[in-house]
Amino acid sequence: MLFSAREPGPSPPLSAIRRSKIAGCRRFGPPPLSRTSMKRAFPLFLAGVTGLSACSDLSPVATGLGAGAPVSLNASEAPVEIVPGQIIVRFRPGAARSEIAQQHRAHKKSDMLLERTEILEVPVGEEAAIAAQLSKNPNVEFAETDEIMRVGPCETSVSCDLPNGDLALWKWDLHNTGTMDMALQGWGTVTTGKVDADIDWAETYDHLGPDFAGSAVIAILDTGIRTTHPAFAGKIVGGRRFLSDTVTVGTGNYTDDQGHGSHVAGIAASRGDVRIPGVAYGTNIKLLIGKVCNSAGSCPNSATANAIVWAANNGANVINMSLGAFGGNPDGTGSAAQQAAMQYALSKEVLPVCATGNDDNKPNGYTGGIGYPARFPECMAVGATSWSDTKASYSNYGAQIEISAPGGDGNSKGTAASFILAPLHSSNSYTWKTGTSMATPQVAGLAALLYATGMTRAADVRARMIQTADDLEAPGWDNRTGAGRINVYRAVTGKDPNAAPVAAPGSGYAGNKGVAVQFDGSASNDPNGKPVTFAWNFGDPASGAANSSTLATPAHTYLRAGSYMVTLTVTDAAGIASTTTTTAVIANIAPNVSAISGATLLLGERYTAAGSFADADPDTWTATVNYGDGTGTQGLALNGKSFSLSHGYAAAGTHTVLVTVADDDGGAGTSSASVTVMTPQQGIHATLIAAVGASGMNSGTVTALSAPLQAASESLDRGNRTAATEQMQAFINQVEAQVRSRQMTAAMGADFSARANRVIASINR
Ligand SMILES: [Ca+2]
Ligand SMILES: [Ca+2]
Ligand SMILES: [Ca+2]
Ligand SMILES: [Ca+2]
């Protein structure tokens, strides 16, 4: 059983496209078949198997079919294509190989690269029977016919005459923007299914850069490669032909004589600086070419098994097998040699990736599933998606599917635009093809990038691709698309390609009014490494235009105290925004009123004092004063940050003067002073105490000074203010006499005289 890549839709107009087909491969000759007609044409597909000889260099013979006979197949009749006259046998250690072979009318043709494994020559027509007999020999691990798998021979494709210029924009599989300008191809502006139904390769290229130098090797086991195509310049590190014609053609001839291999290799690893880059574009990601399929796209299992071992032994990290046979029917079991070879590859941390096949599970009328070798657990089974991110109509599905990648599908316009564009084998141009064959090398390319960026274990690479795929169709793994469509960017970077930026406005902002607060949003970032733009809102609408800024580290000055919610929105290059808030706490400085002078007064004397306060804020202030004598709190005029106190007390006593200055932000400060107001009698008494207590005076002087004061006090007691005034004047005279006689210093005399005059004024107020 076979599978081949198919054309899912009508072909582009002939005026626009040169249709290529392989001469002699009449099965798939034009006119191309629509999807529907293709399904109906399966008998034709199979009937044509005998036609393989016309374009095969292996001359395989199809069994189970008569040449040209009408074909009606059911599962039990499913044909198996084998290489005639040989079988593959793996002996157990220590087996007497040639003896066992002879017992079964077989003899060794050649060793295979897989240890203890040989190709035995057997009579033509008896391959299956002899293999079955050998399988029962206890010294034989397995024996099988050398079945032929297929790439997609005679795949309908269109070639394009590419002008100079970057045509990567025709690679919707790498970067699907929703439209492609294909005027050069005569197709106008093409709508490409679903925006972002791609593998996010463009983002990866941007991330790794055009000079990405990581190393890895991808083995392409296929129909060979166009070694001279500019897409492969410097990329091919080796190749080998594994076909039975190597004696005549030479093992070193791995030139692509079919087209499939060049296309597949180009999808995986075309250089990055050509018109149409491959997934693993880096110049140090190399290609190892195993030509295991002939010009008809026929690929014997013996060749593939040898090539797998060879690739694993020659530095490959990934082995791409866009080939297979439909083994999902009751007849098919897959090749034990191929499976053993893949086990060997995995033991060397080499990851095989395989196409699931293009039959939509219904090859030739029976329901199958994933083809071999994809069906083996050793190989990562890759299905195909369309440019709408759905399972491609042809893509085989089932329990073994692991992952998907764009393989293309038909489109309503019937152009090849929805196929995958990659190098042509017959010229340095490019062509479109579609199939799981095209999906698989995208996975191989991604695997190579993962090896090239530091992963070393095949299981890790495989798991990474599964974990980072974009889930499609039914949530989680599903049997149509596996884990979903690969996402190269997420796999390589571990980040979402459209990750939202992180807004980091900082925290702990505090300050005072009128003083600029310095904000720092420079820790903001985009996980994708893209620049971000800033938009601050300081939560201070009263500041007008100054309330916003586009700087990374702006400053803002608040004029009012409070707790402000500050908002930082950062936007990445993709227009994705994130917002985070922080707080700025702005304090109010309370007015600080400086000390006020108190006073000791006599009734009738006026209290005056100057005062001031400090407040660094940009506030306005109001002040009050209470002179403490029951006259209440009254407004106090401010002159800037100064004020003047003035009050006349009507009653004697000790009064507390209280000044309060309030700002307009709830802050207030106070200062107080004590004002003592004495009656004249108290003033006389205080003068007397001062005289008695004055130092340096003899008792005669004290007596001389005390006498008039006591007399004045007694006169006041009697209410005789005139006498009291005269007696206070007598006190002054006595003071002056004492000064003249030097019983008292002039300064002391002046002080006593002043006291006496204030008392006189108070008596006569
Ligand atoms: Ca994308
Ligand atoms: Ca899914
Ligand atoms: Ca981003
Ligand atoms: Ca203040």
Side-chain angles (χ1 to χ4, degrees), residues 499 526 528 572:
D526 181 16
N528 307 117
D572 67 13

Side-chain angles (χ1 to χ4, degrees), residues 238-314:
R240 183 172 156 181
R241 188 182 191 93
F242 289 91
L243 300 174
S244 61
D245 60 0
T246 52
V247 174
T248 51
V249 179
T251 58
N253 185 345
Y254 47 90
T255 296
D256 187 3
D257 48 9
Q258 201 271 353
H260 191 274
S262 301
H263 203 263
V264 166
I267 291 168
S270 283
R271 292 172 60 97
D273 56 357
V274 295
R275 292 171 188 163
I276 296 169
V279 175
Y281 64 97
T283 52
N284 290 327
I285 298 179
K286 304 294 188 184
L287 287 164
L288 197 56
I289 306 300
K291 182 168 172 60
V292 299
C293 309
N294 64 15
S295 61
S298 298
C299 329
N301 282 345
S302 55
T304 306
N306 271 337
I308 292 168
V309 176
W310 166 81
N313 287 342
N314 284 276

